[in-house]
Amino acid sequence: MSFCNRGCIHTLIVTTKTLPDMKTIVVVFAFLLPILTLAQFQAEEEVTVSEEQNDDIYLTGGKVKINAKVVGDVVTAGGDITLKDSISQDLIAAGGEIMIKGYVADDIRTAGGSLTIDTEVGDDVVAAGGEIIITDEAIIRGNLISCSGNLDIDGEIKGMAKVCGGNVTVNGKIAKEATFYGGKVVLNGEIRGASKIVAETIEIGDNAKFYADVEYWAEDGEVDFKNSLINATASFNEDLAREEHQFSWGFFGAAALSFWMFYILSAFLVLLLFNALFKNWFSKAVAFLDKDIFKSLGYGIAYLIGIPLLIIVTCIIIIGIPIGLFLTTLYLFSLLFGHLVVALLITHYLNSRNEKSWNFWTIVFLALAIAIVIRLITFIPILGGIISLLIIAMGYGALAITIVQHRASLKPSS
């Protein structure tokens, strides 16, 4: 799939006069306005950028490889993400495994399972993930703010570092102040600014150097800083014990932030793809939501209940097992993206009912806001799940009726 130019700048201006019923939703996605300068979008199982890009790019896929220079921002979500060439502005990435080997001139914002930075970064790095590795070849010229299961800092941080993690290891250099919260913190590098360390266990290596005062608390008690203090002192502070108990809550909050970063990026890119490919189908399907919502609901419930029964039947028959596996994958996929499909349907419905002429980007961003609201509703115990299933049923029901009628219209009349 080739890149599709959407223009240099797309500006979305939403007022309460234009959208009298959407004030609450506008507030939810107001923070997304800075990324409305969309330029190019690509979505495939495997996405490779092999030619220089002169604008911002938005990528999603099972594997994403950026092998050429990007003169702009990169926003990407995928299973495996690899950056080998340079980015002149920000990198925003959410994925399972993220490898950054190309120069990033501005900030990095990431969330995912594994992150490796093996390059120079022009400004700050904000990261959340299972494992974060800052290699000995890495230079971060701004600040490092991160929360992870495991964090290794072998490179150089020109700014300050504020990190939390299950295991934190520092073998590199931090030019300014540093704050560490962790289960186990191993310090064997150089820290130029004042330090605060709160952990269950603190280990000081033979190569550790502290050039400013250290305030710490460890569950194991006082720590031997050996010869690491250069014109500095280390003080054990019992008051920091409260912060250790708060650490687990902070870690939970960072994990939640990681989830929402990943969710918003992924949802945004999927909505772009769905609206680009199936815009006409959504426009047709909303007619049934307005005319016969209960019929749509009935079709949707039949789909949600009928497909699992069909899967069971096909799996009982040996020759039907491949079909059953295919249907299972399709069904799980439809449930996973059901709230995004519904969000697009609701947006097209509002556009049609209020006789608006919203453009492509307005529809995508409104759908993203609605998807966030639907996702929040699912967190309500029991009731949230029921409401979510009902609206997904209505959405898929309307689409099913549209497809059935379209197929009927293609049959030659007798």
Side-chain angles (χ1 to χ4, degrees), residues 277-289:
L277 296 178
F278 308 115
K279 183 178 179 180
N280 292 334
W281 285 102
F282 287 122
S283 298
K284 293 176 182 178
V286 297
F288 297 103
L289 291 176

Side-chain angles (χ1 to χ4, degrees), residues 166-188:
N167 295 295
V168 178
T169 303
V170 179
N171 294 312
K173 299 179 181 180
I174 300 174
K176 296 183 179 180
E177 62 271 18
T179 303
F180 303 101
Y181 296 94
K184 181 178 181 180
V185 176
V186 179
L187 300 171
N188 197 35

Side-chain angles (χ1 to χ4, degrees), residues 289 293-305 334-335 338-339 342 345 386-401:
L289 291 176
I293 191 170
F294 291 106
K295 186 176 181 180
S296 297
L297 179 60
Y299 268 71
I301 291 175
Y303 169 79
L304 293 177
I305 296 175
S334 68
L335 290 181
H339 65 291
V342 170
L345 276 171
I386 294 172
I387 293 173
S388 179
L389 284 175
L390 286 176
I391 59 178
I392 288 175
M394 284 187 287
Y396 279 130
L399 285 171
I401 295 172

Side-chain angles (χ1 to χ4, degrees), residues 64 101 106 114 156 162 226 260 296 311 333 359 367 376:
V64 177
K101 299 182 72 68
D106 209 340
S114 171
E156 185 173 359
K162 187 169 186 178
K226 304 175 184 178
W260 279 107
S296 297
I311 291 171
F333 179 87
N359 62 28
L376 289 172

Side-chain angles (χ1 to χ4, degrees), residues 10-58:
H10 300 268
T11 304
L12 173 61
I13 301 175
V14 181
T15 65
T16 54
K17 182 177 179 181
T18 306
L19 296 171
D21 298 326
M22 303 296 290
K23 183 181 289 185
T24 302
I25 294 176
V26 169
V27 172
V28 174
F29 75 93
F31 72 97
L32 292 168
L33 292 178
I35 62 172
L36 284 173
T37 54
L38 303 181
Q40 301 178 73
F41 171 71
Q42 186 176 8
E44 290 183 43
E45 178 60 30
E46 184 169 331
V47 178
T48 301
V49 178
S50 54
E51 296 181 358
E52 181 174 328
Q53 305 300 313
N54 295 316
D55 211 333
D56 301 342
I57 58 174
Y58 295 76

